[in-house]
Amino acid sequence: MASWADSVDSPRAPEENDTPATPPGFEATSTSEPPQSEAGPSNGALEDGQQDDIKTVSAGDTPYTSATSFDDLPLSEELKKGIYTEMKFDKPSRIQAKSLPMILTPPYRSLIAQAHNGSGKTTCFALAMLSRVDPSLQCPQALCVCPTRELVVQNLHVVQRMGKFASITATSTARTDFHLSRNARVTEQIVIGAHGTLKNWVSKRVLNTERVAILVFDEADEMLKADGFASDSTRMISSIRRQNPQLQLLLFSATFNDDVKAFAQKVVGQDANQVYVPRQELSLDVIKQYWVNCPTAQHKTKVLKDMIFPLCEKLGQTIIFVRMRETARALHAAMETDGHRCTSIQGDMEKDARDRVVAEFRDGATKILISTDVLARGFDVTQVTLVVNYDMPVERDLRTPAFETYLHRIGRSGRFGRKGAAFNFVCGDMEKRILEEIHKYFNHEIPEVKHDDEDRFVEVLQEAGLTEG
DNA sequence: AAAAAAC
């Protein structure tokens, strides 16, 4: 039985230097195109696997020993203090135990790391960046690229906490106190950003990447997606590699379908290490999933009003995912008109409005948040126990299920092994088929809950462990 | 034909 882990046993020999060389500013056109992402059942990432161990593929002859304690790792006292007293971590998680020795041991090889929601990926790359910085050099040395502003902010926060006792400076492209002027320069040692601003900063020579020794991609499969950020990402990689051939590239994500994984392996090169954790830690298993047949589109809103919102008061927090920005806006308005308190977020909103909505949600001031896929990945609010797929996640063609997106969306609940549940709203044959395919792909039960069966909704949330009863 | 970044 093939699984994600098996398929890396004998990775194809990647061609070297297959990312195009580009001038600073990443202006060059990419000649290396990633494959079209076609998620299919061939990605056995979620099959039953007997292997309990994290699968690793190490390059070269460097021996790596799994770290049972943070004390086993080549980390400064200041960083360890941050780990123990600020983050209150006891010992490394499994992914940390495996990947940190690979990341922190010279020669600093690139790494592809797949680990599930809440398994401590952020800690891995935060420590990687913090420990690779030379404190005596006051310039950018570590870069982390993320798909959304919200993730940029969140990751900067983690780096700052972890590095609380180390004299290392960090900043992000989400900062509001920074305006491009002729003499503006980024001097912070760690920079976390989204593509647009990073590209802008580099081309305007506000950000000098000459001394960048480590480049991290969070949600790496998204960042290497053919019809998405791939060209920006590969241009940035080759540009920095031209300045520093020894660049350590770290690709982190919970999901790498076969196509993106093959491309990622090409990007990191044959000297890279790889780490994959098995499905047993997959958050899917702890998240109860259901589907609700909605005869008409109006029923979706009705189910929210009649079933979900009234029950939400008793739950933790809820995120409702929709496909389009306009739906987020309209649904929010419709709910508010009916006196149901909630907020909404999507990429078309003003930055400060986005920041405000996220801050209120993190505070717990708002219980229900309507969102596009801007928050589908990485967004970490421990109080989220319920996810609603108001629209089923689909690829651009609107017919192919977006398997990875589904996994990431429902992974917003049940953080760090806590309870979680997900409702999938299904309207029409297309969404029904999408649901079936997702069900088959993940081989996970998704029972139906009748849209008008109030008692059953209550029952189901009890089953999922979200309410006391 | 969408969403994600951004000037």
Side-chain angles (χ1 to χ4, degrees):
Chain A
M1 186 180 278
S3 79
W4 70 38
D6 298 332
S7 61
V8 295
D9 271 335
S10 44
R12 276 207 307 273
E15 298 147 45
E16 220 168 337
N17 298 328
D18 51 2
T19 41
T22 49
F26 322 131
E27 299 92 344
T29 318
S30 171
T31 53
S32 160
E33 287 305 320
Q36 240 350 89
S37 170
E38 254 180 44
S42 63
N43 174 13
L46 307 159
E47 295 166 16
D48 287 317
Q50 287 87 16
Q51 69 274 58
D52 282 351
D53 290 327
I54 294 179
K55 192 83 177 185
T56 64
V57 178
S58 43
D61 47 14
T62 317
Y64 297 107
T65 313
S66 184
T68 51
S69 157
F70 286 112
D71 295 325
D72 296 345
L73 294 161
L75 295 165
S76 70
E77 289 308 313
E78 292 76 19
L79 281 182
K80 277 189 262 185
K81 195 176 173 192
I83 292 167
Y84 291 127
T85 70
E86 173 66 23
M87 305 304 287
K88 304 211 171 14
F89 291 155
D90 183 23
K91 60 185 185 61
S93 70
R94 298 173 71 218
I95 180 73
Q96 291 158 6
K98 290 283 184 185
S99 71
L100 284 171
M102 291 180 164
I103 296 170
L104 302 175
T105 310
Y108 302 112
R109 296 185 193 278
S110 293
L111 173 78
I112 299 176
Q114 177 178 37
H116 301 303
N117 300 314
S119 63
K121 287 190 294 285
T122 312
T123 298
C124 287
F125 63 73
L127 283 175
M129 294 195 289
L130 284 161
S131 56
R132 287 294 310 278
V133 163
D134 176 351
S136 67
L137 281 178
Q138 204 47 244
C139 64
Q141 300 168 58
L143 234 59
C144 173
V145 197
C146 318
T148 64
R149 172 185 180 82
E150 284 67 30
L151 227 38
V152 166
V153 172
Q154 185 174 291
N155 286 337
L156 177 66
H157 185 63
V158 171
V159 166
Q160 284 173 333
R161 286 183 63 204
M162 197 101 61
K164 187 175 173 186
F165 304 101
S167 317
I168 294 169
T169 52
T171 189
S172 87
T173 56
R175 63 193 283 181
T176 49
D177 63 328
F178 192 78
H179 299 288
L180 293 186
S181 70
R182 190 173 309 239
N183 298 318
R185 291 287 181 279
V186 174
T187 57
E188 282 81 0
Q189 292 153 326
I190 296 177
V191 182
I192 300 175
H195 268 312
T197 310
L198 280 180
K199 217 161 47 169
N200 188 24
W201 282 6
V202 170
S203 65
K204 295 234 167 56
R205 303 193 184 276
V206 168
L207 174 64
N208 185 340
T209 57
E210 267 170 35
R211 305 303 297 257
V212 170
I214 174 170
L215 174 59
V216 179
F217 284 90
D218 192 11
E219 307 299 340
D221 62 328
E222 177 80 356
M223 303 310 276
L224 293 174
K225 214 172 160 191
D227 64 349
F229 295 118
S231 57
D232 281 337
S233 297
T234 52
R235 279 172 210 170
M236 181 187 295
I237 292 165
S238 8
S239 165
I240 299 177
R241 262 197 192 138
R242 239 165 41 102
Q243 298 170 308
N244 177 6
Q246 301 306 312
L247 178 73
Q248 183 181 29
L249 193 55
L250 305 184
L251 307 182
F252 280 87
S253 182
T255 51
F256 283 99
N257 72 41
D258 288 348
D259 297 305
V260 180
K261 191 203 276 179
F263 182 62
Q265 287 168 342
K266 246 171 68 167
V267 169
V268 290
Q270 57 195 359
D271 289 335
N273 293 313
Q274 301 173 59
V275 177
Y276 302 94
V277 302
R279 82 178 286 266
Q280 70 177 38
E281 288 178 9
L282 198 55
S283 57
L284 250 179
D285 293 330
V286 302
I287 300 168
K288 296 278 184 194
Q289 298 152 66
Y290 306 91
W291 74 283
V292 184
N293 186 37
C294 301
T296 70
Q298 289 74 23
H299 280 83
K300 288 188 173 183
T301 315
K302 191 169 156 48
V303 172
L304 277 186
K305 287 178 185 171
D306 296 350
M307 308 293 173
I308 308 288
F309 270 67
L311 292 171
C312 277
E313 301 306 317
K314 287 192 268 180
L315 308 177
Q317 288 174 292
T318 300
I319 302 182
I320 299 166
F321 284 107
V322 299
R323 193 173 64 84
M324 289 186 298
R325 294 170 171 182
E326 178 51 31
T327 311
R329 191 166 19 219
L331 183 58
H332 181 188
M335 299 312 286
E336 288 280 331
T337 304
D338 254 44
H340 293 101
R341 258 202 85 208
C342 61
T343 51
S344 66
I345 186 169
Q346 36 90 1
D348 197 32
M349 288 163 50
E350 299 290 339
K351 289 190 188 73
D352 56 347
R354 285 169 66 162
D355 293 347
R356 201 175 57 242
V357 167
V358 166
E360 285 172 1
F361 194 64
R362 284 193 190 282
D363 285 355
T366 43
K367 302 269 278 180
I368 303 171
L369 176 54
I370 300 166
S371 173
T372 58
D373 280 328
V374 66
L375 293 188
R377 286 171 171 259
F379 185 62
D380 188 14
V381 176
T382 11
Q383 289 308 307
V384 174
T385 54
L386 183 64
V387 165
V388 175
N389 284 322
Y390 186 91
D391 297 313
M392 292 299 287
V394 287
E395 298 292 348
R396 190 178 185 172
D397 62 13
L398 303 189
R399 297 171 26 237
T400 314
F403 299 108
E404 286 79 21
T405 306
Y406 182 81
L407 187 76
H408 285 280
R409 278 185 181 183
I410 71 170
R412 293 317 95 212
S413 76
R415 306 293 291 165
F416 298 96
R418 290 179 171 83
K419 301 287 186 189
F423 286 114
N424 294 293
F425 287 7
V426 169
C427 180
D429 295 344
M430 184 71 85
E431 280 194 318
K432 186 68 204 300
R433 190 181 52 74
I434 302 286
L435 177 86
E436 293 299 336
E437 286 190 44
I438 285 175
H439 158 67
K440 272 185 257 166
Y441 182 86
F442 291 111
N443 189 26
H444 195 283
E445 283 311 306
I446 310 182
E448 181 181 3
V449 176
K450 298 285 181 203
H451 68 86
D452 52 1
D453 191 344
E454 202 175 333
D455 296 342
R456 185 65 188 134
F457 271 91
V458 174
E459 231 173 75
V460 144
L461 289 171
Q462 241 173 283
E463 264 174 33
L466 268 56
T467 50
E468 294 298 305

